[in-house]
Amino acid sequence: MEAVFFGFLARELAEFLPGARVEKVFLPVPNVVTLALYLPAGRVVPGCEGRKTVFLHARYGTGRYFLFLSGQKTAQPERAPAAAMRLRKHLRGRRVTRVAADWPHRRLVLSFTGNGPALALDPRSFPALVDAARPELPALTDVSWPSLAAVPAQPDIWQAHPQLSPALRRRLAALPPDQARDRYDRLTAGECDGFFLERKSGEPNALWTVAWPGPPPPSCTVATFPTALEAAAAFGLPLAFGEVSGRAEAPQTAARAASRRRQDRAMLRLAADEARMQAFLARKAEADAIAANLHALDKTAKIAELSLPTADGGQQTLSLDPALTVLANMQKLYHLAAKGERGLAAIAARRRDLQGAKKDLQSRERAPDRVAASPGPSGSLKGVAAHVYRTSDGFLALRGKNAKANDQLLRLASPFDLWFHAADGPGAHVILRRDHPGREVPRQSLAEAAGLAALASYAAGAGTADVWMARVGDVRRVKGAGPGQVTVSRILETLRAAVDPALEKLRELM
């Protein structure tokens, strides 16, 4: 997150956060902190419409920094760590009174009601409780900027002027002088063209407040947002939810990566050993030449070179070990050749083993997620009686086999997963899983998930059926009713789905 963008984001947070009450502080994983904030009556935060409680997510330490407000919280550990409990002790129940930002360093300070400490969010360190009495922090136009000529000439200029990140310096340096001057003047004046999210290969890459001329860099796309809050959320959501949900698989991922590295090193060593054994085996021809002429040689001579006739009438010169006799050299060469022959046989067997292990690892990495091995942000789906499908776009879809399974799927799915059910009648629940709340699902996958719901419903004999689609967080189980009975507070869309038995081909074998 660029410092200049952070400055605009801090101004919007200063507008929307005062009056919000801290409900809880979460530390879902190392390097991520989340504040649950209950908004004052009537307060509407852009991007969090309809939410009374919003979540301020921030990252600290190494990695891409994010800070954003969302209506969704990430998964939390079963037991809050001691550091989270300490922050709760000082902050819970207090209302935000003021937001100040040291924006060049992307540092945010929240002050609260009461006599307790303020909270400093700094990308370089763990959230700190600081003295609430502090000097004013710089506004957007209160920071010194170097001359434009110094920007491309000094790669380390960010050390003296942290608002000039390496990425920003490279962008300015790549522009023609007149365009660079125009963008630089707008930056230094605190002006804003809009809020632009740059994605590289589909992943969040940078946030800008100026529109860069020309096409975006290769493999990059740019999206525009009306507010810094919405742009920051679009940037941070996949990073934050990936940071948290990915932790469950991190040990396995790291183990697979380590296994690949070990296999690659083993194959390199094997290739070196093979070359050495082939060199040993090649010396058998030298031993044969000595043996064929041994009757005419001084067997006890210790010499460094030996000249012998070849079969075509020429001469060949052999290098010998002068510490050994001619006879001992011949014996040593035969010994090395035998060693090379044995070694090559062992290397071939070892290579087959390594190649088999590599193929096994690759097949496991390519294998689609299984229900028993697909931990969701809200819990494990192991043991749930559900059919598993993979849509044409690669999304995982789960359909309950019975009422109990429908209830379990709903309870264990993430709030931002999508729920499908035949409209106005009985049927199975279908859950389409997403990695994070901001992940878009192609229409083809939505249609396929809706069709799977229709196939396991009262409308299975029809040609088409209406299917409701909602966020899992908007679907509630009916208290006291049987398993699978729900109410829906908000339907995103009613899809007209084809009841096509061919969709069952999307089912994965378990």
Side-chain angles (χ1 to χ4, degrees):
M1 180 180 290
E2 289 292 319
V4 176
F5 175 89
F6 180 87
F8 285 91
L9 174 64
R11 288 203 294 191
E12 293 186 11
L13 290 172
E15 176 184 354
F16 288 102
L17 288 188
R21 185 181 72 242
V22 179
E23 292 184 330
K24 274 190 177 182
V25 181
F26 303 99
L27 296 174
V29 292
N31 297 349
V32 176
V33 62
T34 300
L35 269 67
L37 301 167
Y38 188 81
L39 297 173
R43 179 75 54 82
V44 178
V45 175
C48 301
E49 291 81 3
R51 299 289 178 180
K52 294 181 179 179
T53 298
V54 296
F55 300 90
L56 181 66
H57 304 279
R59 198 185 196 286
Y60 55 91
T62 57
R64 281 179 291 177
Y65 175 66
F66 56 75
L67 176 74
F68 67 98
L69 279 175
S70 170
Q72 300 289 338
K73 71 174 179 179
T74 58
Q76 305 302 324
E78 294 182 2
R79 177 174 295 183
M85 298 304 293
R86 178 173 178 268
L87 292 175
R88 290 180 189 179
K89 174 184 175 182
H90 290 279
L91 303 179
R92 193 169 188 176
R94 300 171 66 195
R95 292 184 180 275
V96 179
T97 58
R98 185 169 177 272
V99 177
D102 176 7
W103 67 267
H105 295 93
R106 300 178 298 175
R107 185 171 184 263
L108 197 75
V109 179
L110 305 178
S111 298
F112 304 93
T113 54
N115 297 321
L119 179 69
L121 299 176
D122 191 319
R124 297 166 296 183
S125 59
F126 183 82
L129 296 170
V130 299
D131 188 351
R134 67 196 185 289
E136 292 293 319
L137 295 175
L140 283 169
T141 54
D142 292 342
V143 174
S144 66
W145 294 76
S147 66
L148 177 58
V151 173
Q154 301 179 29
D156 295 331
I157 199 168
W158 60 271
Q159 295 182 358
H161 303 278
Q163 72 272 24
L164 279 167
S165 70
L168 177 56
R169 189 192 69 83
R170 287 193 297 269
R171 285 295 175 90
L172 290 169
L175 294 178
D178 57 334
Q179 294 181 350
R181 168 55 60 188
D182 175 71
R183 271 41 177 201
Y184 195 65
D185 288 345
R186 296 183 67 79
L187 289 168
T188 58
E191 298 177 4
C192 178
D193 298 334
F195 302 105
F196 307 97
L197 168 60
E198 183 181 283
R199 294 186 177 94
K200 186 173 184 178
S201 301
E203 294 296 318
N205 185 52
L207 289 163
W208 306 106
T209 59
V210 293
W212 298 108
S219 71
C220 288
T221 59
V222 177
T224 306
F225 294 85
T227 66
L229 285 170
E230 291 168 281
F235 177 85
L237 274 171
L239 299 178
F241 281 81
E243 179 84 11
V244 174
S245 61
R247 291 283 171 168
E249 298 179 359
Q252 294 88 343
T253 303
R256 287 195 295 267
S259 180
R260 286 195 301 273
R261 290 193 296 270
R262 287 195 299 270
Q263 288 176 352
D264 290 341
R265 288 195 297 267
M267 292 295 283
L268 289 174
R269 289 195 299 269
L270 209 61
D273 289 342
E274 184 177 39
R276 192 161 57 92
M277 293 300 108
Q278 286 174 341
F280 288 167
L281 186 59
R283 302 207 71 180
K284 184 176 184 295
E286 298 179 20
D288 289 340
I290 296 174
N293 294 278
L294 193 60
H295 65 282
L297 299 174
D298 181 358
K299 302 180 183 61
T300 61
K302 294 182 179 182
I303 54 179
E305 287 186 349
L306 181 63
S307 181
L308 296 174
T310 61
D312 58 1
Q315 291 286 320
Q316 62 176 331
T317 300
L318 306 181
S319 297
L320 303 181
D321 183 353
L324 302 176
T325 65
V326 171
L327 180 61
N329 268 285
M330 181 190 72
Q331 294 170 336
K332 179 181 178 180
L333 291 175
Y334 276 128
H335 173 75
L336 288 176
K339 180 179 180 180
E341 190 171 0
R342 294 192 303 271
L344 288 175
I347 287 170
R350 176 61 175 156
R351 178 174 281 112
R352 287 194 296 271
D353 291 342
L354 285 174
Q355 289 173 340
K358 186 174 183 179
K359 289 180 180 178
D360 179 66
L361 179 62
Q362 290 173 340
S363 66
R364 283 187 280 117
E365 288 177 342
R366 288 194 297 262
D369 296 337
R370 304 295 188 223
V371 173
S374 299
S378 300
S380 171
L381 293 169
K382 183 177 181 179
V384 178
H387 291 303
V388 181
Y389 300 86
R390 186 72 60 172
T391 71
S392 301
D393 303 299
F395 285 79
L396 193 68
L398 306 160
R399 187 176 71 190
K401 297 180 181 180
N402 51 49
K404 180 181 178 182
N406 290 336
D407 189 71
Q408 289 175 312
L409 285 176
L410 189 63
R411 177 168 51 86
L412 296 175
S414 298
F416 48 82
D417 289 340
L418 297 178
W419 171 88
F420 297 82
H421 193 282
D424 302 315
H429 296 226
V430 172
I431 303 295
L432 187 71
R433 308 205 70 185
R434 298 195 292 170
D435 295 335
H436 57 83
R439 187 177 186 187
E440 297 182 1
V441 182
R443 294 299 301 182
Q444 179 66 23
S445 290
L446 298 179
E448 290 170 353
L452 291 172
L455 280 170
S457 74
Y458 73 97
T464 59
D466 288 336
V467 177
W468 291 326
M469 179 179 73
R471 288 175 57 260
V472 167
D474 294 325
V475 182
R476 297 285 185 271
R477 289 172 290 161
V478 178
K479 189 175 182 179
Q485 300 297 307
V486 300
T487 60
V488 185
S489 59
R490 181 188 176 205
I491 293 176
L492 295 175
E493 186 179 349
T494 299
L495 295 94
R496 190 68 175 173
V499 185
D500 184 3
L503 290 173
E504 292 295 337
K505 295 179 181 179
L506 299 174
R507 186 188 300 180
E508 295 188 340
L509 298 177
M510 299 301 294

